[in-house]
Amino acid sequence: MSITLDSKIPAGPLADKWDEFKAHEKLVNPANKRKFKIIVVGTGLAGASAAATLAELGYQVDAFTFHDSPRRAHSIAAQGGINAAKNYKGDGDSVYRLFYDTVKGGDFRAREANVHRLAQVSVNIIDQMVAQGVPFAREYGGLLDNRSFGGAQVSRTFYARGQTGQQLLLGAYQQLARQIGMGGVKLYNRMELVDIVTVDGRAAGIVVRDLMTGEISSHSAHAVVLATGGYGNAFFLSTNAMACNVTAAWRAHRKGAAFANPCYTQIHPTCIPQADDFQSKLTLMSESLRNDGRVWVPKNPDDTRAAADIPEDERDYYLERIYPSFGNLAPRDIASRAAKRAVDNGQGVGPLKNGVYLDFADAINRLGQQTVKERYGNLFDMYERITGENPYEVPMRIYPASHYTMGGLWVDYELMTTVPGLYCAGEANFSDHGANRLGASALMQGLSDGYFVLPYTISNYLADWLNKPIPGTDHEAFKVAEQQAADRFRQYMSIGGTRSPDYFHRELGKIIWDYCGMERTEQGLEKALSEIPALHEEFKKDLRVTGTGDSTNQTLEKAGRVDDFFELGMLMCRDALVREESCGGHFRAEHQTEEGEALRNDDDFAHVTAWEWSGDPMAPVEHREQLEYEVVQFQTRSYK
Amino acid sequence: MSEKLTYITLKIWRQGGPDQAGQFEHHVIDEISEEASFLEMLDILNEQLIEAGKEAVVFDHDCREGICGTCSLMIDGRAHGPEKGTATCQLHMRKFRSGDTITIEPWRASAFPIIKDLMVDRSPLDRIVEAGGYISAETGGAPDANLIPIPKPVADAAMDAAECIGCGACVAACPNGAANLFTGAKVTHLNLLPQGQAERYQRAEAMVETMDEYFGSCTNHGECEAACPKSISIDVIAVMNADYFKAKFKNRKKLSRT
Ligand SMILES: Cc1cc2nc3c(=O)[nH]c(=O)nc-3n(C[C@H](O)[C@H](O)[C@H](O)COP(=O)(O)OP(=O)(O)OC[C@H]3O[C@@H](n4cnc5c(N)ncnc54)[C@H](O)[C@@H]3O)c2cc1C
Ligand code: SF4
Ligand code: FES
C-alpha cells in the first residue's frame, strides 16, 4: 500500500478558503450525531477541547489519557501566553499579520491555507476561553492585557500570570468535565494507547493498556482523533513533562500514517542550564522574560568576575548587537544558535560555563522591583528554587533546550492523516508552524484544532458512514493487534539484561542531541544513523525491566516508550540528512550564509517531507508535498 | 561547585496493590549532589533497584515544575515536604543534611486509595469538578472577550484561587481528609467572575454535596493551607460556605413557591 498526499486545500482566495470549506462540507444532522462514536486520545488542550466540543455537538465520545486526570496534560506547563489577532491594542495587528508572522516565523515551510485559518479562528479562542472563566491578565480599566512575544512587532499575546497553559487547560478540562458529568464523554484515565487498528485501510479503533492492571483491551469507533502531544523527549533532556512520548503517533505511523518533517524540532533559548549528569529534565524560563531581560555574555572568555562586577563595556549584548530591530526578542531558533555560539566560543557563564546571562537589572531600575515581580514573580521563584540563586539580585543563567516539535503526523487541511478516519490535532500533527514555531502559537494551534477545526471537518468524513456497520472489537484485526501488544510488553519483561529503560533513553538522547540538535552536519547525521540502530540492538538484548506486568509498572511503561523513541530517532536523523538546506529549527552547518545565518533553498526544498513506514525503521519511504505560496513571497527571514 | 550530601537513609512505603498490606523499606543513598531534586534522588534509587534486579518504587510525577499537580509525597509526615509553598517535585536536596533519615509515604486519606507504593487514586477530585466546577459555555456562542470588563482586583482574586494544581495535599494534610480547600478554590475562582454568576449557587451546592459524598468534613484545622504548594488562602473555604448556605436558602425559597 502506498500513500498519496492530498492536502485537500479548498479552492478560492486564501482569505475565503475556510468559509468556502464550511459552506460546502458534508454535515451530520443533530439527531444523527449520537449514532457516531469518536475516540479522542489525549486530553491536553487539543484533545480536551475537541472531546468537549464533539460531545456538545451530540457525538458519543470516548476520551483516553495515560494521566490520572485530564487536568494534568503537558499543556498545563505552558507559561508565557497565547496569541490572537484581536488587535485590542490598536497597534496594527490583523488576521493577515498574524498569518504572515507565523508563515515567516516558520521560515516558509508551512501550508499557507492552514496558517491563515489558524489566524482567523485565533480570535474565537480568546472569546471562548474568557466565556469559560479563564482569568486572563487585565488592565486597570478591566479590559484584557497583552504582551509581546518573540518574532512579532505587535502586542497580541494574552496571558494569565506565568501560568497561561494551566489556566487554558483548566478551562478546557472543566468544559470536558461538564460533559463527563453529563454522560456525553466517557473518560478512560491511566490508559495508554499501544496500537491503532485499521480495517480495510480505515481507522477502526485502538488498543490500550491499563496502567494499573496491565490489561490490554480494544475500543472501536467511527473515527479516531490523536491529540497526544509532541516528541521533544526524544532528546531525553527537554522542557517537556516526563511522560511526554511519541508512542501514539509512532504506532499510527506504523499503521500507515505518514510522519512529516520529523527533523523540525524547536530548541528553546531560555532554559535553566543543566547542572549535573543525573538531571532528569530541564526547566523553561518563559520567553516572555525576554521582554524585559537582556541577554549578554562577558566579552572576554576568561572573565571570572561576578556579573555585577563586569563593566558595561566589557559585556556583549549579542542579540541587541546582531539583531538591532528585534534585539532580545529575536525568534527562538536564532536566539538559541546565538547562545550556542557564545558558549562554544568559551564565553559561557556559570560553574560549568554552559549558560548565558538573562539580566533584569535594567528592568528593575526602570520599572521597580514590584512591577517586575508582578510580571514574572512565579518564574523568579521557580528559578530560585531550582538554582538556589535570587534573580532579583544576580542575572539568571539560561541555555537552549529541546522544547517543542513542529514535525508530527502528516495531516490534510481537514486534520486527517493518511489513514482515513484517523485524525491528528495539536502538537502531535505537523501542520501549522513550518520549520519553527513562534512563541504563544502552540496553545493557539491546539485550541484552534480542537475547538474550531476538527468539530467541523470530522463530519465531512462521518457523513458517508451514517447507518453503516463498523467493525467491532471482536474483529480479527483487533485480536491480532491485542496479541501483538501483549507479546511486545511480555518481551520487554523477559529480556532480563542489565540496563534500565532510562539508561537507554539517556544514551539515545545524547546521540540525537549531539548530531540532530541545534546544528547538524551530514557527517554527524550519518554517524547517528549508525549509532542509533546499534544502541537499539543493545536495548533489545540488554534491557532489564523488573517487577511484573499485571500491576502498575513504570519501568515497563518506559520501556515501550523508549523503544518507539529509537525508531523515531532514526527517522529524525534521516529527515535531517535529506533536507540539504537550513530552515528554522533545522540548521545544517553546510548551508549557512557568510554571517552564519540559515541558508534556505527554496528551489529544491519548499516541500513537506512525509515518510511512510516500510517495516524497516532504517528504510522509510520518502514522499513530498510541494508547498504552493499564493499570497506570501519567499523572503530571507531577517530580524536584523 | 555543588556540594554533596552523604549517607541519606530513605524509609519508603512499599505496597503491592490496593488490597495488599504495605510496609516500610529502608534504602541508603551513599552520595547525592545538593543540586538534585527530591524526585531525581528517587530516580537514582530506582536505577539502583533495577540494577539490583529489584522492583522500582512507584510514584506519580510528570511536569517536575510544580504546575501539573501529579507529584504527591508525604515527606517526614508533611505533604510535599518541609519547604513552604513548594510541590514535591520542586524540592531540592539542598534542603536536607548529610546523614538524614527521610520518611516517604503516599497521601493518606480514605478518599484516595493506594494504587501501588506511593501512588494513590485522586479521581474523587475530578468528580467534584464534574458536578459543577465549570461555566456552561458551549463552544461557538461566546461574545467578544472584551465585552465584559472585569476589574483587575476581581480578575486577580479569581486567578489567586485558580492557581490550585489539584494535587490533593490539602486532603492529605487534613486530619479529617476534607477537600474543602480544593473545592473552595474552584468555587471561588468561578463565583467571583461575572461569567460565573448565572450558575453561582447551583455550582456551590452541587460541588459541596459531591465533595461531602467522598471526603471528610472540615473542622477548621488549617493544615490544608499550610501544606498547599500554591499557598491557596483558607479564605476560599469561607467564600464557598457562604455561597453554599445562600444556595440552600434560595433553593428552599424556590421549593416553597412550588
Ligand atoms: C515548558 C513549556 C512551556 C510552554 N509554553 C508555551 C506558551 O507559553 N505558549 C504556547 O503557545 N505554547 C507553549 N508551549 C507548548 C505547548 O504547551 C504545547 O505544544 C501544547 O500544550 C501541546 O498540547 P497538546 O494538547 O497537543 O498535547 P499535550 O498537552 O502534551 O497532551 C497530550 C495528551 O495526550 C495524552 N497521551 C499521549 N500519549 C498517549 C497515549 N499513548 N495513550 C493515551 N494518552 C496519551 C496525554 O495523557 C495528554 O493528555 C510550552 C511547552 C512547554 C514544554
Ligand atoms: S488547594 Fe492547594 S493543596 Fe489543595 S489541591 Fe489545590 S493546590 Fe493542592
Ligand atoms: S510533577 Fe508536576 S507538580 Fe510536581
mmCIF file of all heavy atoms in Angstrom, chain B residues 164-170 181-182 228-229 232, ligand 2:
data_model
loop_
_atom_site.group_PDB
_atom_site.id
_atom_site.type_symbol
_atom_site.label_atom_id
_atom_site.label_comp_id
_atom_site.label_asym_id
_atom_site.label_seq_id
_atom_site.Cartn_x
_atom_site.Cartn_y
_atom_site.Cartn_z
ATOM 1 N N CYS B 164 -4.772 26.757 42.018
ATOM 2 C CA CYS B 164 -4.769 25.393 42.583
ATOM 3 C C CYS B 164 -4.353 24.383 41.522
ATOM 4 O O CYS B 164 -4.830 24.425 40.393
ATOM 5 C CB CYS B 164 -6.171 25.065 43.099
ATOM 6 S SG CYS B 164 -6.470 23.306 43.349
ATOM 7 N N ILE B 165 -3.441 23.478 41.892
ATOM 8 C CA ILE B 165 -2.960 22.495 40.926
ATOM 9 C C ILE B 165 -3.612 21.119 41.113
ATOM 10 O O ILE B 165 -3.214 20.144 40.473
ATOM 11 C CB ILE B 165 -1.416 22.356 40.954
ATOM 12 C CG1 ILE B 165 -0.912 21.950 42.347
ATOM 13 C CG2 ILE B 165 -0.757 23.654 40.507
ATOM 14 C CD1 ILE B 165 0.591 21.675 42.411
ATOM 15 N N GLY B 166 -4.578 21.040 42.005
ATOM 16 C CA GLY B 166 -5.323 19.787 42.146
ATOM 17 C C GLY B 166 -4.485 18.620 42.629
ATOM 18 O O GLY B 166 -4.719 17.472 42.256
ATOM 19 N N CYS B 167 -3.496 18.917 43.489
ATOM 20 C CA CYS B 167 -2.584 17.853 43.919
ATOM 21 C C CYS B 167 -3.182 16.998 45.026
ATOM 22 O O CYS B 167 -2.794 15.851 45.207
ATOM 23 C CB CYS B 167 -1.273 18.459 44.397
ATOM 24 S SG CYS B 167 -1.474 19.577 45.806
ATOM 25 N N GLY B 168 -4.079 17.583 45.808
ATOM 26 C CA GLY B 168 -4.669 16.827 46.913
ATOM 27 C C GLY B 168 -3.875 16.876 48.202
ATOM 28 O O GLY B 168 -4.206 16.175 49.164
ATOM 29 N N ALA B 169 -2.844 17.726 48.277
ATOM 30 C CA ALA B 169 -2.067 17.840 49.520
ATOM 31 C C ALA B 169 -2.947 18.317 50.667
ATOM 32 O O ALA B 169 -2.768 17.917 51.815
ATOM 33 C CB ALA B 169 -0.894 18.794 49.326
ATOM 34 N N CYS B 170 -3.912 19.177 50.327
ATOM 35 C CA CYS B 170 -4.798 19.699 51.372
ATOM 36 C C CYS B 170 -5.582 18.565 52.023
ATOM 37 O O CYS B 170 -5.771 18.529 53.237
ATOM 38 C CB CYS B 170 -5.744 20.749 50.785
ATOM 39 S SG CYS B 170 -6.493 20.283 49.205
ATOM 40 N N LEU B 181 -10.397 22.907 50.829
ATOM 41 C CA LEU B 181 -9.539 23.928 50.221
ATOM 42 C C LEU B 181 -9.576 23.788 48.699
ATOM 43 O O LEU B 181 -9.732 24.773 47.969
ATOM 44 C CB LEU B 181 -8.098 23.817 50.737
ATOM 45 C CG LEU B 181 -7.232 25.045 50.453
ATOM 46 C CD1 LEU B 181 -7.732 26.275 51.210
ATOM 47 C CD2 LEU B 181 -5.761 24.788 50.791
ATOM 48 N N PHE B 182 -9.479 22.564 48.223
ATOM 49 C CA PHE B 182 -9.546 22.315 46.780
ATOM 50 C C PHE B 182 -10.876 22.809 46.210
ATOM 51 O O PHE B 182 -10.923 23.562 45.230
ATOM 52 C CB PHE B 182 -9.381 20.809 46.516
ATOM 53 C CG PHE B 182 -9.719 20.401 45.109
ATOM 54 C CD1 PHE B 182 -8.786 20.546 44.090
ATOM 55 C CD2 PHE B 182 -10.985 19.895 44.798
ATOM 56 C CE1 PHE B 182 -9.101 20.184 42.782
ATOM 57 C CE2 PHE B 182 -11.304 19.532 43.495
ATOM 58 C CZ PHE B 182 -10.365 19.682 42.481
ATOM 59 N N CYS B 228 -0.442 23.563 51.322
ATOM 60 C CA CYS B 228 -0.730 23.825 49.904
ATOM 61 C C CYS B 228 0.489 24.384 49.169
ATOM 62 O O CYS B 228 1.035 25.408 49.558
ATOM 63 C CB CYS B 228 -1.896 24.814 49.789
ATOM 64 S SG CYS B 228 -2.210 25.272 48.087
ATOM 65 N N PRO B 229 0.901 23.739 48.094
ATOM 66 C CA PRO B 229 2.072 24.222 47.375
ATOM 67 C C PRO B 229 1.818 25.531 46.643
ATOM 68 O O PRO B 229 2.756 26.197 46.213
ATOM 69 C CB PRO B 229 2.366 23.097 46.377
ATOM 70 C CG PRO B 229 1.059 22.414 46.183
ATOM 71 C CD PRO B 229 0.343 22.513 47.506
ATOM 72 N N ILE B 232 -2.789 28.524 48.523
ATOM 73 C CA ILE B 232 -4.193 28.932 48.390
ATOM 74 C C ILE B 232 -4.696 29.335 49.780
ATOM 75 O O ILE B 232 -4.495 28.606 50.751
ATOM 76 C CB ILE B 232 -5.056 27.771 47.835
ATOM 77 C CG1 ILE B 232 -4.555 27.295 46.472
ATOM 78 C CG2 ILE B 232 -6.544 28.134 47.803
ATOM 79 C CD1 ILE B 232 -4.829 28.207 45.306
HETATM 80 S S1 SF4 C 2 -5.808 23.689 47.253
HETATM 81 FE FE1 SF4 C 2 -3.571 23.545 47.292
HETATM 82 S S2 SF4 C 2 -3.160 21.588 48.297
HETATM 83 FE FE2 SF4 C 2 -5.303 21.539 47.679
HETATM 84 S S3 SF4 C 2 -5.315 20.570 45.669
HETATM 85 FE FE3 SF4 C 2 -5.193 22.786 45.311
HETATM 86 S S4 SF4 C 2 -3.001 23.200 45.156
HETATM 87 FE FE4 SF4 C 2 -3.175 21.157 46.109
#
